[in-house]
Amino acid sequence: MNIESKYLSTSKISRMVDINERWLREHQGTIFKEGVHYYYPNGFKNCRWNVSAMIEWIENPNEESNIADEILSNICVI
């Protein structure tokens, strides 16, 4: 895998960050924002993930992502 790529498919970003593909897809639009973490270039059916945004998300978790995790945890308990 070419780590220097700017955008990767879901399967490749999943392997790169060691997070399950399904989990990534389930959190599109909640934790991960379209236009920041992923894009649908030129009407592609499958998105492309922004490598630098995903590295930033892992290395520098912000309060917004913590709040999203807390909300999701509460929903899953119900």
Side-chain angles (χ1 to χ4, degrees), residues 12-14 17 32 36-37 42-43 46 58 60 64-65 69:
K12 289 180 182 177
I13 199 76
S14 170
V17 297
F32 305 114
V36 176
H37 299 102
N42 298 319
N46 299 316
I58 289 170
N60 301 305
E64 183 178 306
S65 66
D69 284 340

Side-chain angles (χ1 to χ4, degrees), residues 34-68:
E34 185 172 357
V36 176
H37 299 102
Y38 64 96
Y39 299 85
Y40 287 94
N42 298 319
F44 281 30
K45 178 182 174 186
N46 299 316
C47 72
R48 295 295 177 258
W49 293 83
N50 182 325
V51 173
S52 60
M54 292 302 290
I55 291 171
E56 178 71 20
W57 175 78
I58 289 170
E59 292 179 351
N60 301 305
N62 61 32
E63 190 172 314
E64 183 178 306
S65 66
N66 292 336
I67 291 169

